[in-house]
Amino acid sequence: MTIFTPPLSLRAALDRAARVLSPTSRSARVDAEVLVRHVSGATRAEIMADAERALSDDACLALTRLVERRRRGEPIAYLVGSREFWSLDLRVSPATLIPRPETELLVERALARLTLSAEDRVADLGTGSGAVALAIARERPRATVVATDQAEAALAVARANAQRLGIGNVEFLAGDWLAPLGGRRFTLIASNPPYVRADDPHLHDGDVRFEPRAALIGGMDGLDAIRRIIAGAHEHLVGEGWLLIEHGFDQASAVRALLADRGYRAICTYKDLAGRERVTEALAP
Ligand code: GLN
């Protein structure tokens, strides 16, 4: 374990942390900066302008612990307890998936399908930290949003995020996928469900090793949760309601086939910024 012993300047801390992390992290320099900012309270600009400023003894101790945890693979977002998504500073914990940039496509497509009226009723299934529900609710303040998750620990994080961000138009319900929705119908249902195959080798690599299995793995072919959502969503959609699902880059045609089998219309897949088929949407049958 590398001990960060005072006296230590911001610059020296940053250089040493980056060096310690480089064998195990592809983003060592960025990781080091995020951790030094976290323990010192310095902004990026302050680190640049005032690099010789000394870290306090407490900050050195905290950095020693965090760099060691990062060296062992823990995700940066769990170490600092937050991740930005759709310009929202979201708290995250090991009970929640860490929001991914590609999931912003799901939000983008949902917003494209929502009007600005007070009529919109949106459900986000498997909300985790609340990322998708909160981004939609922030952008459509007149809409009412319901967010579900089977994990109480995740819902607690999502509720706290809503409160901290002052987003009042989201209701959080515990339960599996569509079950907590009862007899309610929505103009739009969105979900970023678990869709990784149980035998996907990536599960043994990097940050995902520390994320909740239930938020990642969708059974043998990755489609278990998606099948359940597609099988039941039409009972919770209004006549011209939309279903939007995030999926793996190689699952789009399977998802389109499942939707077509149920009689969904206007089925269309969209690519994320990396050019991968990532979100499929469809109009209620
Ligand atoms: N995109 C994520 C990954 O590949 C998976 C997230 C999910 O299953 N919803 O790690």
Side-chain angles (χ1 to χ4, degrees):
M1 179 162 105
T2 302
I3 297 176
F4 289 76
T5 318
L8 196 63
S9 68
L10 290 169
R11 185 203 308 278
L14 197 58
D15 288 345
R16 189 179 306 171
R19 214 171 329 112
V20 172
L21 295 176
S22 60
T24 49
S25 170
R26 265 175 259 133
S27 50
R29 187 83 204 170
V30 176
D31 294 358
E33 188 187 314
V34 173
L35 294 179
V36 169
R37 282 171 52 189
H38 182 70
V39 300
S40 67
T43 63
R44 171 171 290 165
E46 282 165 354
I47 290 187
M48 308 273 241
D50 197 12
E52 298 313 320
R53 190 175 109 193
L55 261 77
S56 70
D57 293 1
D58 283 351
C60 286
L61 184 62
L63 190 62
T64 297
R65 292 188 175 137
L66 290 176
V67 167
E68 180 57 16
R69 287 171 65 190
R70 179 59 182 153
R71 203 179 61 76
R72 292 166 185 240
E74 279 188 63
I76 284 285
Y78 291 157
L79 296 180
V80 302
S82 67
R83 172 56 47 97
E84 189 173 294
F85 178 82
W86 200 267
S87 301
L88 301 172
D89 177 34
L90 293 173
R91 293 290 130 85
V92 297
S93 86
T96 71
L97 198 75
I98 300 164
R100 314 277 205 265
E102 61 265 30
T103 300
E104 294 190 343
L105 176 64
L106 184 64
V107 174
E108 229 170 79
R109 289 311 313 160
L111 296 176
R113 291 299 176 197
L114 291 169
T115 60
L116 289 167
S117 82
E119 303 298 306
D120 280 321
R121 295 187 304 282
V122 179
D124 169 27
L125 311 179
T127 197
S129 63
V132 170
L134 292 169
I136 293 173
R138 166 59 60 85
E139 298 287 341
R140 294 289 182 273
R142 284 157 63 84
T144 54
V145 181
V146 172
T148 74
D149 206 292
Q150 46 98 24
E152 282 288 357
L155 275 186
V157 173
R159 274 196 196 98
N161 275 326
Q163 196 155 39
R164 221 174 31 82
L165 295 166
I167 298 174
N169 52 328
V170 186
E171 181 187 354
F172 296 95
L173 300 175
D176 237 20
W177 308 121
L178 300 145
L181 302 182
R184 294 203 237 179
R185 287 189 184 260
F186 296 83
T187 47
L188 187 147
I189 296 176
S191 183
N192 171 21
Y195 54 72
V196 179
R197 287 180 192 77
D199 64 357
D200 189 325
H202 292 113
L203 291 167
H204 308 291
D205 220 28
D207 287 4
V208 293
R209 289 172 298 165
F210 293 83
E211 291 183 295
R213 283 317 197 224
L216 285 168
I217 300 174
M220 283 316 292
D221 64 356
L223 293 168
D224 282 2
I226 290 177
R227 268 190 293 267
R228 285 188 56 187
I229 291 167
I230 291 175
H234 61 280
E235 287 171 21
H236 299 280
L237 284 169
V238 299
E240 297 299 297
W242 289 93
L243 176 60
L244 278 68
I245 298 177
E246 178 177 323
H247 48 68
F249 68 95
D250 56 355
Q251 294 170 332
S253 60
V255 172
R256 287 194 297 267
L258 288 166
L259 288 162
D261 279 351
R262 286 275 163 181
Y264 279 83
R265 298 165 288 148
I267 302 166
C268 191
T269 299
Y270 294 84
K271 291 183 178 170
D272 63 19
L273 290 174
R276 296 175 150 180
E277 292 191 311
R278 184 60 66 190
V279 171
T280 294
E281 63 181 37
L283 201 50

